[in-house]
Amino acid sequence: MSSWAGRSAAEITAAVREKRVTPREVVAGHLARIDRFDGRIGAFRKVRARAALAEADEVAARADLAGLPLAGVPVAVKDNLPVRGESCRNGSAATSDAPAAEDHVTVARLRAAGAVVVGVTNVPELCVFATTEGPYGIARNPWDLSRTAGGSSGGSAAAVAAGLVPLALGNDGMGSLRIPAANCGLVTLKPGPEVVPAGIGHGDWFGMAENGPLATTVEDLRLMLGVLAGAEFVRREERGPLRIAVALRSPLAGVPVSRPYTNAVRQAAGALARSGHRVRRAEPPYPLSLGVTALGHWTAGTAVDAEGMDPARLARRTRVHAAVGRRFTRTVRGGAARDRLRARLTPFFTEHDVLLTPALARRSPHAGPWHERGWLRNLLTDSAYSPFTPPWNLTGWPAMSVPVGALPSGAPCAVQLVGRPGTESVLLDVAEELEELTPWRRTAPVTEPR
């Protein structure tokens, strides 16, 4: 196994640009690690071994190699974004297996920056649920193989956490970046609208879904986000103390929050207070109707994405989810519920710069064939462990997951950072402070196959 597998993207691109290592050597080392470990993890639906090596050689031959921000960096792409020459199955047997003619714009930007796409990662069918499994495999958390990696960017998160790639592309419509990142000890950011090109499914789940990076360090996150957005996200050393609100209550009424996640928030809050920020307890005024609003948008987005598909080829939980969503589609299109939520929460963010919450309410469910289980069981399980993410897709405001602390099993714990529109750079700065103050282990201690 090459020593370059498991290195950060920043380390790799610097070495490639300085010609201390070739893109082929880097990619080959990561492919060897994928071959060694992914049979147990289930991160990838398709590994592009031969194509990736050829593309690595193309990167090495580029005249602009010394200036490429992701020179020779292996990346993985979530299976709901087209990759030229590969099918885009969206986790479903009901989708076409024809190869995509063109890259999604985000994939094209990664390749233009010198990245090499080594594979397409597993997702739950139509990227609906907060666990990742289906006809193409089960994505497991590399820190605890008995648990799901989360969803819907579960395969992408598992790939990065296991050191199979240093970076992966995913997206987030109700928490689909932040949930698996929190499970797998990664840092991620769901940007606000028009920061990174979207173009996910049929209408981006009514504008709630955004593409974004998964990484093991804030430096790598900034690097990939800059490529995706076409803009730099550099740290501002001169930024003054921020007003940080600490909230522990679940946005969904009646959902309890387990102690490891409240402890993680307290640990993060204490570290930020000691570094000079103005930190205080303050709960956002979530409306009691939030659960119904979230359910309506979640199911309606699936109803739109499932239009024209053969119902017999969809899993039962997906069929039911889409059927429920058809009742909400017209109301959701109007956007009134999202407008009301934004109006209710905006005053809170005039008094606070950043909201700090648990990333999840409890550890992730056991990995298994959730696609064969009933819709209500999936719905209740997902809602009980990930209630903190949906409000910020409904508002459209930027939100992050950042590793802080650990679960009793030793798997990572995490907090969520939320900001008002346009504050992605502020959130990245806070995340980088937390990385310095409460450092996390970058890669899961994947063991040898038995």
Side-chain angles (χ1 to χ4, degrees), residues 189-248:
L189 184 145
K190 177 199 78 67
E194 300 182 5
V195 174
V196 172
I200 307 158
H202 301 287
D204 306 320
W205 275 18
F206 306 97
M208 295 190 303
E210 302 290 346
N211 291 311
L214 290 151
T216 62
T217 69
V218 178
E219 181 184 24
D220 278 6
L221 191 74
R222 289 184 194 272
L223 186 61
M224 184 172 175
L225 184 64
V227 168
L228 295 174
E232 286 191 296
F233 291 86
V234 296
R235 183 172 183 176
R236 286 183 55 185
E237 298 290 349
E238 74 281 6
R239 196 185 301 283
L242 296 169
R243 301 167 299 168
I244 299 176
V246 177
L248 299 175

Short mmCIF file of all heavy atoms in Angstrom, two decimals, residues 189-248:
data_model
loop_
_atom_site.label_atom_id
_atom_site.label_comp_id
_atom_site.label_asym_id
_atom_site.label_seq_id
_atom_site.Cartn_x
_atom_site.Cartn_y
_atom_site.Cartn_z
N LEU A 189 -19.46 20.99 4.77
CA LEU A 189 -20.25 22.21 4.77
C LEU A 189 -21.33 22.12 3.71
O LEU A 189 -21.03 21.82 2.53
CB LEU A 189 -19.36 23.42 4.52
CG LEU A 189 -20.07 24.79 4.60
CD1 LEU A 189 -19.14 25.85 5.18
CD2 LEU A 189 -20.57 25.25 3.24
N LYS A 190 -22.57 22.33 4.13
CA LYS A 190 -23.67 22.53 3.20
C LYS A 190 -23.74 24.02 2.92
O LYS A 190 -24.11 24.80 3.80
CB LYS A 190 -25.00 22.06 3.79
CG LYS A 190 -26.20 22.32 2.85
CD LYS A 190 -27.52 22.28 3.55
CE LYS A 190 -27.81 23.55 4.33
NZ LYS A 190 -28.02 24.75 3.45
N PRO A 191 -23.37 24.45 1.73
CA PRO A 191 -23.39 25.89 1.47
C PRO A 191 -24.80 26.41 1.27
O PRO A 191 -25.75 25.64 1.09
CB PRO A 191 -22.56 26.01 0.19
CG PRO A 191 -22.76 24.70 -0.51
CD PRO A 191 -22.90 23.67 0.58
N GLY A 192 -24.92 27.72 1.28
CA GLY A 192 -26.18 28.34 0.91
C GLY A 192 -26.37 28.31 -0.59
O GLY A 192 -25.49 27.87 -1.34
N PRO A 193 -27.51 28.77 -1.08
CA PRO A 193 -27.80 28.73 -2.52
C PRO A 193 -26.79 29.53 -3.34
O PRO A 193 -26.29 30.57 -2.91
CB PRO A 193 -29.19 29.37 -2.61
CG PRO A 193 -29.79 29.21 -1.26
CD PRO A 193 -28.64 29.30 -0.30
N GLU A 194 -26.48 28.98 -4.52
CA GLU A 194 -25.67 29.65 -5.54
C GLU A 194 -24.21 29.86 -5.15
O GLU A 194 -23.50 30.63 -5.78
CB GLU A 194 -26.31 30.99 -5.95
CG GLU A 194 -27.70 30.80 -6.54
CD GLU A 194 -28.33 32.10 -6.99
OE1 GLU A 194 -27.66 33.15 -6.93
OE2 GLU A 194 -29.51 32.08 -7.38
N VAL A 195 -23.77 29.16 -4.11
CA VAL A 195 -22.34 29.16 -3.79
C VAL A 195 -21.63 28.11 -4.64
O VAL A 195 -20.60 28.37 -5.26
CB VAL A 195 -22.12 28.92 -2.29
CG1 VAL A 195 -20.63 28.78 -1.97
CG2 VAL A 195 -22.72 30.05 -1.47
N VAL A 196 -22.20 26.91 -4.65
CA VAL A 196 -21.73 25.80 -5.48
C VAL A 196 -22.88 25.44 -6.43
O VAL A 196 -24.04 25.40 -6.01
CB VAL A 196 -21.37 24.59 -4.60
CG1 VAL A 196 -21.07 23.35 -5.45
CG2 VAL A 196 -20.17 24.92 -3.71
N PRO A 197 -22.61 25.17 -7.70
CA PRO A 197 -23.68 24.76 -8.60
C PRO A 197 -24.42 23.54 -8.07
O PRO A 197 -23.81 22.60 -7.56
CB PRO A 197 -22.96 24.44 -9.91
CG PRO A 197 -21.69 25.21 -9.84
CD PRO A 197 -21.31 25.24 -8.40
N ALA A 198 -25.75 23.56 -8.18
CA ALA A 198 -26.56 22.44 -7.69
C ALA A 198 -26.90 21.51 -8.86
O ALA A 198 -26.04 20.76 -9.30
CB ALA A 198 -27.81 22.97 -6.99
N GLY A 199 -28.11 21.55 -9.38
CA GLY A 199 -28.45 20.67 -10.50
C GLY A 199 -28.53 19.23 -10.08
O GLY A 199 -27.96 18.34 -10.71
N ILE A 200 -29.27 18.97 -8.98
CA ILE A 200 -29.38 17.63 -8.40
C ILE A 200 -30.80 17.12 -8.63
O ILE A 200 -31.76 17.71 -8.15
CB ILE A 200 -29.09 17.68 -6.88
CG1 ILE A 200 -27.75 18.37 -6.62
CG2 ILE A 200 -29.09 16.27 -6.29
CD1 ILE A 200 -27.62 18.93 -5.22
N GLY A 201 -30.93 16.03 -9.36
CA GLY A 201 -32.26 15.47 -9.61
C GLY A 201 -33.11 16.43 -10.42
O GLY A 201 -32.63 17.14 -11.31
N HIS A 202 -34.39 16.49 -10.08
CA HIS A 202 -35.34 17.32 -10.83
C HIS A 202 -35.75 18.51 -9.96
O HIS A 202 -36.81 18.51 -9.35
CB HIS A 202 -36.56 16.50 -11.24
CG HIS A 202 -36.23 15.32 -12.10
ND1 HIS A 202 -35.85 15.45 -13.43
CD2 HIS A 202 -36.16 13.99 -11.84
CE1 HIS A 202 -35.59 14.26 -13.94
NE2 HIS A 202 -35.78 13.36 -13.00
N GLY A 203 -34.88 19.51 -9.90
CA GLY A 203 -35.24 20.72 -9.17
C GLY A 203 -34.62 20.87 -7.81
O GLY A 203 -35.06 21.70 -7.02
N ASP A 204 -33.59 20.06 -7.51
CA ASP A 204 -32.84 20.23 -6.25
C ASP A 204 -33.73 20.16 -5.02
O ASP A 204 -33.51 20.86 -4.04
CB ASP A 204 -32.09 21.58 -6.24
CG ASP A 204 -31.20 21.77 -7.44
OD1 ASP A 204 -30.55 20.78 -7.85
OD2 ASP A 204 -31.14 22.89 -7.98
N TRP A 205 -34.75 19.28 -5.06
CA TRP A 205 -35.68 19.19 -3.93
C TRP A 205 -36.23 20.58 -3.59
O TRP A 205 -36.15 21.05 -2.48
CB TRP A 205 -35.01 18.54 -2.72
CG TRP A 205 -35.05 17.05 -2.74
CD1 TRP A 205 -35.28 16.24 -3.80
CD2 TRP A 205 -34.84 16.17 -1.62
NE1 TRP A 205 -35.23 14.92 -3.43
CE2 TRP A 205 -34.95 14.86 -2.10
CE3 TRP A 205 -34.56 16.38 -0.27
CZ2 TRP A 205 -34.81 13.73 -1.28
CZ3 TRP A 205 -34.41 15.27 0.55
CH2 TRP A 205 -34.54 13.96 0.05
N PHE A 206 -36.78 21.23 -4.63
CA PHE A 206 -37.38 22.56 -4.47
C PHE A 206 -36.36 23.59 -3.97
O PHE A 206 -36.69 24.50 -3.23
CB PHE A 206 -38.59 22.50 -3.54
CG PHE A 206 -39.61 21.49 -3.97
CD1 PHE A 206 -39.64 20.23 -3.40
CD2 PHE A 206 -40.52 21.79 -4.98
CE1 PHE A 206 -40.55 19.28 -3.82
CE2 PHE A 206 -41.44 20.83 -5.41
CZ PHE A 206 -41.47 19.58 -4.84
N GLY A 207 -35.11 23.42 -4.41
CA GLY A 207 -34.07 24.37 -4.06
C GLY A 207 -33.43 24.14 -2.71
O GLY A 207 -32.61 24.97 -2.28
N MET A 208 -33.74 23.03 -2.04
CA MET A 208 -33.16 22.78 -0.71
C MET A 208 -31.83 22.05 -0.77
O MET A 208 -31.08 22.07 0.20
CB MET A 208 -34.14 21.96 0.14
CG MET A 208 -35.43 22.65 0.46
SD MET A 208 -36.38 21.73 1.69
CE MET A 208 -36.53 20.13 0.89
N ALA A 209 -31.54 21.37 -1.86
CA ALA A 209 -30.36 20.50 -1.94
C ALA A 209 -29.17 21.25 -2.53
O ALA A 209 -29.29 21.97 -3.53
CB ALA A 209 -30.67 19.27 -2.78
N GLU A 210 -28.02 21.06 -1.90
CA GLU A 210 -26.78 21.71 -2.33
C GLU A 210 -25.66 20.69 -2.40
O GLU A 210 -25.58 19.78 -1.57
CB GLU A 210 -26.38 22.82 -1.36
CG GLU A 210 -27.42 23.91 -1.18
CD GLU A 210 -27.60 24.81 -2.40
OE1 GLU A 210 -26.73 24.76 -3.30
OE2 GLU A 210 -28.59 25.56 -2.44
N ASN A 211 -24.77 20.85 -3.37
CA ASN A 211 -23.57 20.02 -3.46
C ASN A 211 -22.48 20.56 -2.55
O ASN A 211 -22.39 21.77 -2.31
CB ASN A 211 -23.05 19.99 -4.90
CG ASN A 211 -23.97 19.23 -5.83
OD1 ASN A 211 -24.38 18.12 -5.53
ND2 ASN A 211 -24.31 19.84 -6.97
N GLY A 212 -21.63 19.64 -2.05
CA GLY A 212 -20.56 20.08 -1.18
C GLY A 212 -19.53 19.00 -0.95
O GLY A 212 -19.71 17.84 -1.32
N PRO A 213 -18.40 19.38 -0.31
CA PRO A 213 -17.28 18.46 -0.11
C PRO A 213 -17.32 17.73 1.23
O PRO A 213 -17.90 18.21 2.21
CB PRO A 213 -16.07 19.40 -0.15
CG PRO A 213 -16.60 20.71 0.36
CD PRO A 213 -18.07 20.77 0.06
N LEU A 214 -16.67 16.60 1.27
CA LEU A 214 -16.40 15.84 2.50
C LEU A 214 -14.89 15.69 2.62
O LEU A 214 -14.22 15.29 1.66
CB LEU A 214 -17.07 14.47 2.45
CG LEU A 214 -18.59 14.47 2.53
CD1 LEU A 214 -19.18 13.28 1.79
CD2 LEU A 214 -19.05 14.46 3.99
N ALA A 215 -14.36 16.01 3.81
CA ALA A 215 -12.91 16.02 3.99
C ALA A 215 -12.57 15.64 5.42
O ALA A 215 -13.44 15.56 6.29
CB ALA A 215 -12.35 17.40 3.65
N THR A 216 -11.27 15.45 5.67
CA THR A 216 -10.81 15.12 7.02
C THR A 216 -10.20 16.32 7.73
O THR A 216 -9.95 16.24 8.93
CB THR A 216 -9.76 13.99 6.98
OG1 THR A 216 -8.62 14.43 6.23
CG2 THR A 216 -10.34 12.73 6.35
N THR A 217 -9.93 17.41 7.02
CA THR A 217 -9.38 18.62 7.63
C THR A 217 -10.11 19.83 7.06
O THR A 217 -10.62 19.79 5.94
CB THR A 217 -7.88 18.79 7.35
OG1 THR A 217 -7.69 19.09 5.96
CG2 THR A 217 -7.10 17.54 7.72
N VAL A 218 -10.11 20.91 7.82
CA VAL A 218 -10.73 22.14 7.32
C VAL A 218 -9.92 22.70 6.15
O VAL A 218 -10.49 23.26 5.20
CB VAL A 218 -10.88 23.17 8.45
CG1 VAL A 218 -11.48 24.48 7.92
CG2 VAL A 218 -11.75 22.63 9.57
N GLU A 219 -8.61 22.53 6.18
CA GLU A 219 -7.78 22.98 5.05
C GLU A 219 -8.22 22.30 3.76
O GLU A 219 -8.39 22.95 2.72
CB GLU A 219 -6.31 22.67 5.32
CG GLU A 219 -5.38 23.11 4.20
CD GLU A 219 -3.94 22.73 4.43
OE1 GLU A 219 -3.67 21.75 5.18
OE2 GLU A 219 -3.05 23.41 3.87
N ASP A 220 -8.43 20.98 3.81
CA ASP A 220 -8.89 20.26 2.62
C ASP A 220 -10.29 20.68 2.23
O ASP A 220 -10.62 20.76 1.04
CB ASP A 220 -8.85 18.75 2.88
CG ASP A 220 -7.47 18.15 2.70
OD1 ASP A 220 -6.50 18.90 2.49
OD2 ASP A 220 -7.37 16.89 2.78
N LEU A 221 -11.14 20.92 3.22
CA LEU A 221 -12.51 21.36 2.93
C LEU A 221 -12.49 22.69 2.19
O LEU A 221 -13.20 22.88 1.19
CB LEU A 221 -13.30 21.48 4.23
CG LEU A 221 -14.81 21.66 4.06
CD1 LEU A 221 -15.47 20.37 3.63
CD2 LEU A 221 -15.45 22.16 5.35
N ARG A 222 -11.69 23.64 2.67
CA ARG A 222 -11.57 24.93 1.99
C ARG A 222 -11.08 24.74 0.56
O ARG A 222 -11.56 25.39 -0.38
CB ARG A 222 -10.57 25.82 2.73
CG ARG A 222 -11.00 26.37 4.07
CD ARG A 222 -9.90 27.30 4.59
NE ARG A 222 -10.05 27.63 5.98
CZ ARG A 222 -10.78 28.65 6.44
NH1 ARG A 222 -11.45 29.40 5.59
NH2 ARG A 222 -10.84 28.90 7.74
N LEU A 223 -10.09 23.87 0.39
CA LEU A 223 -9.48 23.64 -0.91
C LEU A 223 -10.53 23.14 -1.92
O LEU A 223 -10.67 23.69 -3.01
CB LEU A 223 -8.34 22.63 -0.76
CG LEU A 223 -7.47 22.33 -1.96
CD1 LEU A 223 -6.75 23.59 -2.43
CD2 LEU A 223 -6.46 21.24 -1.59
N MET A 224 -11.29 22.11 -1.53
CA MET A 224 -12.27 21.54 -2.45
C MET A 224 -13.45 22.48 -2.64
O MET A 224 -13.96 22.62 -3.76
CB MET A 224 -12.74 20.18 -1.93
CG MET A 224 -13.71 19.48 -2.89
SD MET A 224 -14.05 17.79 -2.37
CE MET A 224 -15.30 17.31 -3.56
N LEU A 225 -13.89 23.13 -1.57
CA LEU A 225 -15.00 24.06 -1.70
C LEU A 225 -14.65 25.21 -2.64
O LEU A 225 -15.48 25.64 -3.45
CB LEU A 225 -15.38 24.60 -0.32
CG LEU A 225 -16.60 25.53 -0.27
CD1 LEU A 225 -17.86 24.79 -0.67
CD2 LEU A 225 -16.76 26.13 1.12
N GLY A 226 -13.42 25.67 -2.56
CA GLY A 226 -12.99 26.73 -3.46
C GLY A 226 -13.05 26.31 -4.92
O GLY A 226 -13.46 27.10 -5.78
N VAL A 227 -12.65 25.07 -5.20
CA VAL A 227 -12.74 24.56 -6.57
C VAL A 227 -14.19 24.46 -7.02
O VAL A 227 -14.55 24.87 -8.12
CB VAL A 227 -12.02 23.20 -6.67
CG1 VAL A 227 -12.35 22.52 -8.01
CG2 VAL A 227 -10.52 23.37 -6.50
N LEU A 228 -15.04 23.92 -6.17
CA LEU A 228 -16.45 23.75 -6.53
C LEU A 228 -17.15 25.08 -6.74
O LEU A 228 -18.01 25.23 -7.61
CB LEU A 228 -17.17 22.95 -5.45
CG LEU A 228 -16.74 21.50 -5.25
CD1 LEU A 228 -17.44 20.90 -4.04
CD2 LEU A 228 -17.03 20.67 -6.49
N ALA A 229 -16.80 26.07 -5.90
CA ALA A 229 -17.47 27.36 -5.95
C ALA A 229 -16.82 28.34 -6.92
O ALA A 229 -17.43 29.36 -7.27
CB ALA A 229 -17.49 27.98 -4.55
N GLY A 230 -15.58 28.04 -7.33
CA GLY A 230 -14.87 28.98 -8.16
C GLY A 230 -14.46 30.23 -7.41
O GLY A 230 -14.37 31.33 -7.97
N ALA A 231 -14.24 30.09 -6.10
CA ALA A 231 -13.85 31.22 -5.25
C ALA A 231 -13.06 30.70 -4.07
O ALA A 231 -13.29 29.59 -3.61
CB ALA A 231 -15.09 31.97 -4.77
N GLU A 232 -12.13 31.50 -3.56
CA GLU A 232 -11.32 31.09 -2.42
C GLU A 232 -12.08 31.30 -1.11
O GLU A 232 -12.86 32.23 -0.97
CB GLU A 232 -10.01 31.88 -2.39
CG GLU A 232 -9.01 31.44 -3.43
CD GLU A 232 -7.65 32.07 -3.18
OE1 GLU A 232 -7.56 33.30 -3.26
OE2 GLU A 232 -6.70 31.31 -2.89
N PHE A 233 -11.80 30.43 -0.14
CA PHE A 233 -12.37 30.54 1.20
C PHE A 233 -11.21 30.55 2.19
O PHE A 233 -11.02 29.61 2.95
CB PHE A 233 -13.33 29.39 1.48
CG PHE A 233 -14.59 29.46 0.67
CD1 PHE A 233 -14.65 28.92 -0.60
CD2 PHE A 233 -15.72 30.07 1.18
CE1 PHE A 233 -15.82 29.00 -1.35
CE2 PHE A 233 -16.89 30.16 0.44
CZ PHE A 233 -16.93 29.62 -0.84
N VAL A 234 -10.44 31.62 2.17
CA VAL A 234 -9.25 31.72 3.01
C VAL A 234 -9.64 32.13 4.42
O VAL A 234 -10.66 32.79 4.64
CB VAL A 234 -8.23 32.71 2.44
CG1 VAL A 234 -7.72 32.23 1.10
CG2 VAL A 234 -8.83 34.10 2.32
N ARG A 235 -8.81 31.73 5.38
CA ARG A 235 -9.09 32.08 6.77
C ARG A 235 -8.79 33.56 7.01
O ARG A 235 -7.81 34.10 6.55
CB ARG A 235 -8.22 31.23 7.70
CG ARG A 235 -8.50 31.49 9.18
CD ARG A 235 -7.78 30.51 10.06
NE ARG A 235 -8.12 30.73 11.47
CZ ARG A 235 -7.70 29.97 12.47
NH1 ARG A 235 -6.93 28.93 12.21
NH2 ARG A 235 -8.05 30.23 13.70
N ARG A 236 -9.68 34.20 7.80
CA ARG A 236 -9.50 35.59 8.17
C ARG A 236 -8.93 35.66 9.58
O ARG A 236 -9.63 35.47 10.57
CB ARG A 236 -10.83 36.36 8.11
CG ARG A 236 -11.30 36.65 6.70
CD ARG A 236 -12.58 37.45 6.71
NE ARG A 236 -12.43 38.68 7.48
CZ ARG A 236 -13.44 39.52 7.74
NH1 ARG A 236 -14.66 39.23 7.29
NH2 ARG A 236 -13.24 40.62 8.45
N GLU A 237 -7.64 35.92 9.68
CA GLU A 237 -6.97 35.94 10.97
C GLU A 237 -7.46 37.09 11.85
O GLU A 237 -7.42 37.02 13.07
CB GLU A 237 -5.45 36.04 10.78
CG GLU A 237 -4.83 34.88 10.03
CD GLU A 237 -4.82 33.59 10.82
OE1 GLU A 237 -5.11 33.63 12.03
OE2 GLU A 237 -4.54 32.54 10.22
N GLU A 238 -7.94 38.17 11.21
CA GLU A 238 -8.30 39.37 11.98
C GLU A 238 -9.73 39.36 12.48
O GLU A 238 -10.20 40.31 13.08
CB GLU A 238 -8.08 40.63 11.12
CG GLU A 238 -9.11 40.85 10.02
CD GLU A 238 -8.90 40.01 8.77
OE1 GLU A 238 -8.00 39.14 8.79
OE2 GLU A 238 -9.63 40.21 7.78
N ARG A 239 -10.47 38.29 12.25
CA ARG A 239 -11.86 38.25 12.67
C ARG A 239 -11.97 38.37 14.19
O ARG A 239 -11.26 37.71 14.94
CB ARG A 239 -12.52 36.94 12.20
CG ARG A 239 -14.04 37.00 12.26
CD ARG A 239 -14.66 35.65 11.90
NE ARG A 239 -14.31 35.18 10.58
CZ ARG A 239 -14.85 35.63 9.45
NH1 ARG A 239 -15.74 36.61 9.49
NH2 ARG A 239 -14.50 35.13 8.28
N GLY A 240 -12.88 39.22 14.65
CA GLY A 240 -13.04 39.45 16.07
C GLY A 240 -13.91 38.41 16.74
O GLY A 240 -14.33 37.43 16.11
N PRO A 241 -14.20 38.59 18.03
CA PRO A 241 -15.04 37.63 18.76
C PRO A 241 -16.42 37.52 18.12
O PRO A 241 -17.01 38.53 17.71
CB PRO A 241 -15.12 38.22 20.17
CG PRO A 241 -13.95 39.13 20.27
CD PRO A 241 -13.72 39.67 18.91
N LEU A 242 -16.92 36.32 18.06
CA LEU A 242 -18.24 36.07 17.51
C LEU A 242 -19.25 35.83 18.62
O LEU A 242 -18.89 35.36 19.70
CB LEU A 242 -18.20 34.85 16.58
CG LEU A 242 -17.33 34.97 15.33
CD1 LEU A 242 -17.16 33.61 14.67
CD2 LEU A 242 -17.92 35.98 14.35
N ARG A 243 -20.50 36.13 18.33
CA ARG A 243 -21.60 35.83 19.26
C ARG A 243 -22.12 34.44 18.91
O ARG A 243 -22.76 34.26 17.86
CB ARG A 243 -22.70 36.87 19.12
CG ARG A 243 -22.24 38.31 19.41
CD ARG A 243 -23.30 39.31 18.95
NE ARG A 243 -23.53 39.19 17.52
CZ ARG A 243 -24.56 39.79 16.89
NH1 ARG A 243 -25.44 40.52 17.56
NH2 ARG A 243 -24.69 39.64 15.59
N ILE A 244 -21.84 33.48 19.76
CA ILE A 244 -22.18 32.08 19.47
C ILE A 244 -23.29 31.61 20.40
O ILE A 244 -23.14 31.65 21.63
CB ILE A 244 -20.94 31.18 19.60
CG1 ILE A 244 -19.88 31.63 18.60
CG2 ILE A 244 -21.31 29.71 19.40
CD1 ILE A 244 -18.57 30.88 18.69
N ALA A 245 -24.40 31.19 19.82
CA ALA A 245 -25.52 30.64 20.58
C ALA A 245 -25.36 29.13 20.70
O ALA A 245 -25.05 28.45 19.71
CB ALA A 245 -26.84 30.96 19.88
N VAL A 246 -25.56 28.61 21.88
CA VAL A 246 -25.45 27.17 22.14
C VAL A 246 -26.85 26.62 22.40
O VAL A 246 -27.53 27.05 23.34
CB VAL A 246 -24.54 26.90 23.35
CG1 VAL A 246 -24.48 25.42 23.65
CG2 VAL A 246 -23.15 27.45 23.09
N ALA A 247 -27.29 25.69 21.57
CA ALA A 247 -28.63 25.12 21.69
C ALA A 247 -28.53 23.60 21.78
O ALA A 247 -27.84 22.97 20.98
CB ALA A 247 -29.50 25.52 20.50
N LEU A 248 -29.22 23.02 22.74
CA LEU A 248 -29.19 21.57 22.95
C LEU A 248 -30.52 20.89 22.65
O LEU A 248 -30.58 19.67 22.54
CB LEU A 248 -28.78 21.27 24.40
CG LEU A 248 -27.39 21.76 24.82
CD1 LEU A 248 -27.17 21.50 26.30
CD2 LEU A 248 -26.32 21.09 23.99
#
